[in-house]
């Protein structure tokens, strides 16, 4: 078995993870709906030999758009544009299992896998936001357990559809007029609790066999979904101990589903603020923090905690708040734990949260950031990171030019791509179609 | 008012409209799932100053894939790839109103309109195929009238969402931290019979304001939908008289909806087989016809007529067949009329239909094809054509190199693009947002 290597995605959040990123002098405020911005960031990530770019998504306005950029454009269209301008970098798009049909998702991602030469991943989310439910005829968000039950069946259908063409079903023989060997194209005939789907897909099996499936929920239901069906997880861990405990739990769940313990790539979110000295990095953090409107930070925190901003007093500790139903539980618990650990006031907590970043933040020199990454990686708290640069593209360019060479020197990150598909980058096998007959030799053996 | 000009789309049907196109020596059988083929054809169309490429679609396998290429890849992903490789040509994708959510469609096409600089069109179809219904949990196709009732409301929602951001809602002022003027972003609060959608869209208003809406059904319900909401129609007319009658009917319906009579671009389908002499064109038709498996032609005809192939005897006239419910009525009536007009046997009808082409076919020299196009155009039977070359890319290249220059010399087709958006090419105004307040001066005037 080859040596374990680090994996890096960049979470391509419009102007950067800081709410104030768009206000820096070099930033383009209109980047959030300019596909060329996404292409530009992807090219920098590809120069840095990253595994993939990652696009989050919610089909609704959920953030304070009066104050900052937000998830706007539909991710698969953005990724198709990026695919055309790049050659190696993986392309992961979020799509909701609650507000789509599995046939459409399977087909769109299979098409994108063909168009990109096998570089696509699907981040399956259940979409907890009430504003999204109102764009799809629902007056309320579906209950957490039901959303995940549907998601699991949804992903089963998608995976079966991706297998519905055997690899050699397309023939295209001009002489005999035989175009497709239909004995190798399979109706999936799925009849489940939530979905009834006949299949087959309209698309021949894609370069990766199945595009990568990513899962991003940290709840028990989310972990169960990941253990059963994900190739990679985008997680939230604020400490090495949390990361190690999460990895142990997830790998045990995967084994319980009959999968190898290393079959899922674990990628916690990591926000970075890089300076050539510690002081310079701190100054950049202060500058970004000063430009975040305080009412924005407060409304984000209130949203995470499912409370009214009015009950949060800036210079007092966080009040006691019960775990709400339908919250993002991982985000809720991590936020409360951070406040309690150092007994922070609300204002101190807001700054520690990066004014609404949500994920762990490192502020420091390239050397310090490389140290942190290596420590987490060697401790087994992460297989890599879903990097959230403070500002895009500048924060990513700094990481690529200054941190990546250190990780390469330490022997934990690739110096060049060794394959062409996202499965290659993640070191994951291309799965055979579930419908393919074993070769005769294997059956008699 | 400027002189009326011809419009040309190319219907980018994988290897070409002939079922046997893939079997010609120059054809690539795998073109149907190779995005580079679509890019290549689009570039040839752009060289020929075409208005747009057009991608048909059904989210299911509906054709005899054992015998020929078929609609496979998801069209919006293909168009995003094509957008990245082209600069002017319009990009029209089909998407079903029966098997999608209006919020998702509005968002995906608005994103594509941004990514392409305003070149996108949505061909709204209701999807009559039973095989599609079974991929989406339905055991039967919805009834024709109900499908169109839903489609009309669906398109209303999509158009309202495209208007939900006023043109100047995005501010992006770094100094004041004002990102979006939310007084110019509007909830649409649609509560209809079939859809309840809050809005606003997540995407700022796109370059065309509203992407072009295309409609392709010839039934009374389809015409009504087109008259109310379409910017262009893809129609089926086998004769100038049919074309003139259709145009008169559609324009009268548009006027009844309060729209100008010339607000819809009428584009009948037109299949072409080009030879440098009449005899060469005939030989090419014979070659293509000889390579179409007869069982394919028969099964296509049987499908159009909603009968079993067994009742069609090759060397006898077409039997009497009643108009079936849920058929494509335009295709059914056109096919029967063609058989009756010249009292054709089934075999003769199959050849006249191009072995399954369905639309009108011209076989001839570039001069003869230009004559035909000019005659239809000047008679008011068409504003242009949805061109269906026999074989792609070769049949399109022949049209671009040999027919387009004739149309340009006759002064009916552009020598270069005069604008950058599909609305520019079609000569259609960019609509204001329905939510925009009139300027004060206009109100007091």
């Amino acid at each position: 078995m080859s040596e374990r290597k680090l994996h890096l995605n960049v979470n391509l959040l419009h102007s950067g993870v800081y709410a104030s990123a768009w206000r820096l002098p070099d930033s383009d405020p209109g980047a959030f709906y300019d596909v060329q911005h996404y292409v530009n960031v992807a090219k920098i990530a590809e120069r840095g030999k990253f595994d993939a770019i990652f696009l989050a998504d919610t089909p609704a306005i959920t953030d304070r758009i009066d104050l900052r950029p937000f998830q706007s454009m539909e991710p698969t269209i953005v990724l198709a544009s990026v695919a055309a301008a790049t050659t190696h970098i993986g392309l992961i798009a979020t799509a909701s299992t609650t507000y789509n049909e599995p046939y459409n998702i399977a087909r769109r991602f299979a098409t994108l896998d063909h168009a990109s030469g096998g570089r696509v991943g699907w981040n399956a989310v259940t979409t907890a936001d009430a504003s999204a439910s109102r764009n799809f005829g629902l007056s309320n968000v579906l209950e957490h357990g039901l959303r995940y039950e549907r998601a699991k069946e949804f992903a089963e259908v998608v995976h079966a559809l991706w297998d519905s063409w055997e690899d050699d079903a397309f023939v295209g023989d001009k002489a005999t007029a035989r175009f497709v060997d239909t004995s190798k194209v399979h109706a999936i005939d799925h009849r489940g609790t939530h979905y009834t789907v006949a299949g087959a897909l309209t698309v021949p099996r894609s370069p990766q066999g199945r595009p990568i499936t990513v899962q991003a929920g940290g709840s028990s239901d989310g972990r169960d979904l990941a253990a059963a069906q994900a190739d990679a997880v985008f997680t939230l861990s604020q400490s090495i101990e949390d990361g190690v405990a999460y990895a142990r739990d997830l790998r045990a769940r995967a084994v319980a589903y009959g999968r190898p313990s290393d079959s899922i790539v674990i990628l916690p979110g990591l926000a970075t603020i890089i300076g050539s000295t510690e002081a310079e990095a701190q100054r950049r953090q202060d500058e970004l923090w000063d430009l975040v409107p305080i009412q924005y930070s407060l409304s984000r925190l209130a949203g995470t905690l499912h409370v009214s901003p009015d009950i949060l007093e800036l210079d007092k500790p966080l009040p006691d708040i019960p775990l709400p139903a339908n919250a993002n539980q991982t985000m809720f618990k991590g936020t409360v734990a951070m406040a309690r650990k150092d007994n922070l006031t609300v204002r101190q907590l807001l700054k520690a949260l990066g004014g609404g970043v949500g994920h762990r933040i490192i502020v420091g020199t390239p050397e310090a950031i490389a140290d942190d990454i290596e420590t987490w990686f060697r401790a087994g708290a992460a297989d890599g990171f879903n990097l959230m640069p403070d500002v895009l593209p500048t924060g990513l360019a700094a990481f690529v030019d200054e941190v990546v060479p250190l990780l390469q020197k330490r022997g934990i990150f690739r110096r060049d791509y060794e394959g062409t598909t996202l499965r290659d980058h993640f070191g994951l096998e291309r799965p055979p179609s579930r419908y393919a007959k074993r070769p005769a030799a294997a059956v008699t053996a």
Side-chain angles (χ1 to χ4, degrees), chain A residues 38 57 64 68 74 84 110 126 132 155 168 179 186 196 219 241 253 314-316 348 355 390 412 427:
Chain A
Y38 294 81
D57 195 56
R64 288 284 303 267
R68 66 162 300 177
E74 196 285 318
T126 68
D168 56 352
F179 195 69
H186 303 272
T196 301
S219 67
E241 297 70 36
R253 290 175 189 252
L314 281 172
D315 296 306
K316 294 202 173 163
Q348 289 165 332
D390 50 358
I412 57 172

Side-chain angles (χ1 to χ4, degrees), chain A residues 291-337:
Chain A
L291 290 172
V292 179
I294 193 81
Q295 74 267 36
Y296 174 74
S297 307
L298 257 182
S299 75
R300 269 292 284 260
L301 177 60
T304 299
L305 302 174
H306 281 230
V307 296
S308 159
D310 303 338
I311 73 158
L312 304 173
E313 294 183 61
L314 281 172
D315 296 306
K316 294 202 173 163
L318 201 63
D320 284 327
I321 300 167
L323 179 66
N326 265 332
N328 179 325
Q329 300 185 8
T330 313
M331 194 74 89
F332 179 94
K333 289 176 186 167
T335 301
V336 172

Side-chain angles (χ1 to χ4, degrees), chain A residues 1-348:
Chain A
M1 190 181 154
S2 64
E3 205 191 344
R4 182 168 165 257
K5 292 279 184 191
L6 185 77
H7 300 285
L8 291 174
N9 293 349
V10 57
N11 193 346
L12 211 170
L13 290 161
H14 30 82
S15 293
V17 72
Y18 260 77
S20 53
W22 68 280
R23 297 181 69 190
L24 292 201
D26 289 347
S27 294
D28 171 13
F32 74 107
Y33 71 109
D34 179 359
V35 76
Q36 286 311 315
H37 169 71
Y38 294 81
V39 168
N40 182 25
V41 173
K43 285 184 167 176
I44 295 168
E46 189 168 73
R47 174 158 64 77
K49 314 301 178 192
F50 272 48
D51 294 70
I53 64 170
F54 177 98
L55 294 181
D57 195 56
T58 306
I61 294 172
T62 58
D63 211 335
R64 288 284 303 267
I65 68 171
D66 53 327
L67 297 174
R68 66 162 300 177
F70 55 99
Q71 291 154 15
S72 168
M73 299 217 285
E74 196 285 318
T76 59
I77 295 296
V78 175
L79 289 193
S81 308
V82 171
T86 54
T87 56
H88 283 77
I89 189 134
L91 309 160
I92 301 172
T94 299
S96 173
T97 56
T98 304
Y99 303 118
N100 284 288
E101 289 280 347
Y103 196 90
N104 289 336
I105 291 297
R107 190 168 176 233
R108 196 132 47 88
F109 280 82
T111 300
L112 196 46
D113 208 41
H114 281 293
S116 66
R119 296 190 276 142
V120 168
W122 167 44
N123 180 39
V125 299
T126 68
T127 312
D129 307 81
S131 50
S133 69
R134 292 190 289 267
N135 289 334
F136 295 88
L138 298 177
S139 49
N140 280 302
V141 178
L142 299 181
E143 180 270 320
H144 188 276
L146 176 60
R147 287 206 317 276
Y148 275 92
E149 187 187 298
R150 286 168 47 101
K152 204 167 170 184
E153 188 182 332
F154 190 115
E156 281 167 17
V157 173
V158 167
H159 288 189
L161 287 167
W162 283 340
D163 283 351
S164 63
W165 284 61
E166 296 184 39
D167 288 318
D168 56 352
F170 171 58
V171 180
D173 183 46
K174 293 180 182 182
T176 61
R178 196 176 192 212
F179 195 69
V180 167
D181 178 352
T182 50
S183 75
K184 295 182 174 175
V185 178
H186 303 272
I188 68 167
D189 278 334
H190 176 90
R191 291 155 205 268
T193 309
H194 303 289
Y195 301 101
T196 301
V197 179
L201 205 59
T202 60
V203 186
R205 200 144 194 268
S206 77
Q208 295 187 100
R210 296 176 211 144
I212 290 290
T213 299
V214 181
Q215 197 280 335
S219 67
S220 181
D221 289 330
R223 293 177 191 208
D224 185 62
L225 177 66
Q229 292 166 324
D231 303 299
V233 289
F234 171 25
T235 68
L236 192 159
S237 297
Q238 290 286 357
S239 70
I240 288 194
E241 297 70 36
D242 284 356
V244 169
Y246 173 88
R248 189 177 300 128
D249 176 67
L250 186 71
R251 297 196 196 288
R253 290 175 189 252
V255 169
Y257 274 106
R259 302 177 65 192
S261 68
D262 62 352
S263 56
I264 306 176
V265 179
I266 299 175
L267 304 168
L270 179 62
T272 49
I273 302 179
I274 305 175
S276 47
T277 63
E278 179 70 23
E280 189 184 303
Q282 293 289 350
R283 272 198 305 277
R284 185 169 166 106
Q285 184 185 29
D286 289 342
E287 184 187 8
L288 284 163
W289 166 245
D290 288 343
L291 290 172
V292 179
I294 193 81
Q295 74 267 36
Y296 174 74
S297 307
L298 257 182
S299 75
R300 269 292 284 260
L301 177 60
T304 299
L305 302 174
H306 281 230
V307 296
S308 159
D310 303 338
I311 73 158
L312 304 173
E313 294 183 61
L314 281 172
D315 296 306
K316 294 202 173 163
L318 201 63
D320 284 327
I321 300 167
L323 179 66
N326 265 332
N328 179 325
Q329 300 185 8
T330 313
M331 194 74 89
F332 179 94
K333 289 176 186 167
T335 301
V336 172
M338 187 185 287
R340 297 290 174 244
K341 185 169 162 247
D342 297 318
N343 198 27
L344 303 179
T345 64
V346 168
R347 192 189 301 276
Q348 289 165 332

